[in-house]
Amino acid sequence: MTLRLDRVGVRFGFGRAGAVTALDEVSLEVPSGTFAAVVGPSGCGKSTLLRIAAGLARATTGTASADGVRIEGPSRRRGMVFQTYTLFPWLTVRGNIGFAPALAGATAAARAAVADRFIALVGLDGFADAYPNQLSGGMRQRVALARAFAADPDILLMDEPFGALDSQTRHIMQTLLLEIWERDKKTILFVTHDIDEALLLADVVHVMTARPGRIKRSIQVALARPRTLDSLTTPAFMALKREVLGLIRDEALEAAGATRGE
């Protein structure tokens, strides 16, 4: 399923303080089965963009659509993974992963089969009956990732899902995400502050301007797949990283200059 944002703008009103433009004329397309990342300075509207794609927020102007159908609200066809774990504390690992299939009317046996498959995929064998408060942060995020894929959405929207993890666990989760995506080929739009992460995971990286957020440049990531952490050491990767860093640095300096001018 193809995700498309067409000239999306968002303005927030703050009473006497006036209105703030968070996003301005943002257009991008994520073709079916591809992996796109969005990076940019803090406060540029990356998460707002993702919430519009999820149907959790409305654009002031422009449209968001999936396979040509306008997005008017949340849908089971678009899954969301947040930075926080958002697990149901009263459900076990198996119960959390099987929640979406249960809503879809799957039988108990089918739910168990789906849950067991993803428990194995994310390396949580032996923890199926554990509750979230019995798991480490990295393990809880594995459950969140498994739950999102178990829902079998056509589009997966990810808002800095590994941002709170330590470096070692983050690398494990990135590798795991790539393995599952290579297998299932979901359409993914992934927001991150981490340039290495964006270039490791994505087919294309959309670099946003400082607020109001616009697409400054879309960079094709022409690195061979499958990718591993060794991909981060190649000359091609370093060249791409310098390009993205330069774009973001320019935006940060411009924003700082505008603030001083005010």
Side-chain angles (χ1 to χ4, degrees):
M1 176 174 284
T2 295
L3 174 68
R4 182 176 290 107
L5 303 176
D6 184 23
R7 303 181 70 179
V8 166
V10 175
R11 288 173 63 83
F12 295 111
F14 292 100
R16 292 181 179 178
V20 171
T21 301
L23 297 172
D24 183 38
E25 296 278 319
V26 174
S27 295
L28 64 84
E29 179 176 301
V30 188
S32 181
T34 64
F35 198 131
V38 177
V39 300
S42 294
C44 69
K46 298 186 296 293
S47 293
T48 299
L49 192 69
L50 211 62
R51 289 176 62 82
I52 289 170
L56 299 174
R58 288 291 188 95
T60 307
T61 57
T63 60
S65 62
D67 272 358
V69 178
R70 184 166 181 157
I71 295 171
E72 300 284 0
S75 167
R76 288 181 51 244
R77 301 186 72 183
R78 298 185 307 279
M80 186 93 173
V81 180
F82 299 91
Q83 183 172 349
T84 52
Y85 311 119
T86 62
L87 300 177
F88 298 121
W90 61 88
L91 293 179
T92 63
V93 168
R94 181 179 281 114
N96 267 282
I97 297 173
F99 183 77
L103 285 182
T107 65
R111 295 197 303 270
V114 169
D116 288 345
R117 175 191 172 215
F118 282 98
I119 286 170
L121 279 176
V122 299
L124 286 176
D125 290 309
F127 292 91
D129 296 320
Y131 289 88
N133 66 358
Q134 298 173 311
L135 304 174
S136 69
M139 293 170 76
R140 279 178 288 196
Q141 198 62 322
R142 290 186 188 207
V143 178
L145 183 62
R147 185 176 66 177
F149 273 95
D152 197 27
D154 298 301
I155 296 171
L156 193 56
L157 305 161
M158 309 186 76
D159 192 3
E160 298 193 65
F162 310 143
L165 303 178
D166 63 84
S167 178
Q168 181 178 357
T169 304
R170 186 180 188 125
H171 288 326
I172 292 170
M173 291 300 298
Q174 290 165 349
T175 300
L176 178 61
L177 174 59
L178 280 175
E179 289 174 354
I180 298 175
W181 176 76
E182 290 280 1
R183 182 181 296 111
D184 292 353
K185 287 296 185 184
K186 301 293 184 184
T187 304
I188 296 181
L189 183 59
F190 188 103
V191 163
T192 180
H193 278 97
D194 189 320
I195 295 170
D196 284 11
E197 181 172 72
L199 293 172
L200 174 67
L201 298 175
D203 298 307
V204 60
V205 175
H206 300 286
V207 182
M208 293 187 69
T209 66
R211 195 178 71 233
R214 305 181 181 94
I215 301 298
K216 185 179 182 75
R217 190 176 303 172
S218 297
I219 299 172
Q220 297 295 323
V221 184
L223 300 176
R225 293 191 185 273
R227 296 178 193 158
T228 67
L229 294 180
D230 289 339
S231 303
L232 305 184
T233 63
T234 64
F237 175 88
M238 296 307 298
L240 287 168
K241 183 175 180 178
R242 284 194 296 272
E243 182 178 1
V244 176
L245 277 171
L247 292 168
I248 294 177
R249 182 183 60 247
D250 291 347
E251 283 302 311
L253 290 173
E254 185 175 332
T259 300
R260 287 194 298 270
E262 293 173 357

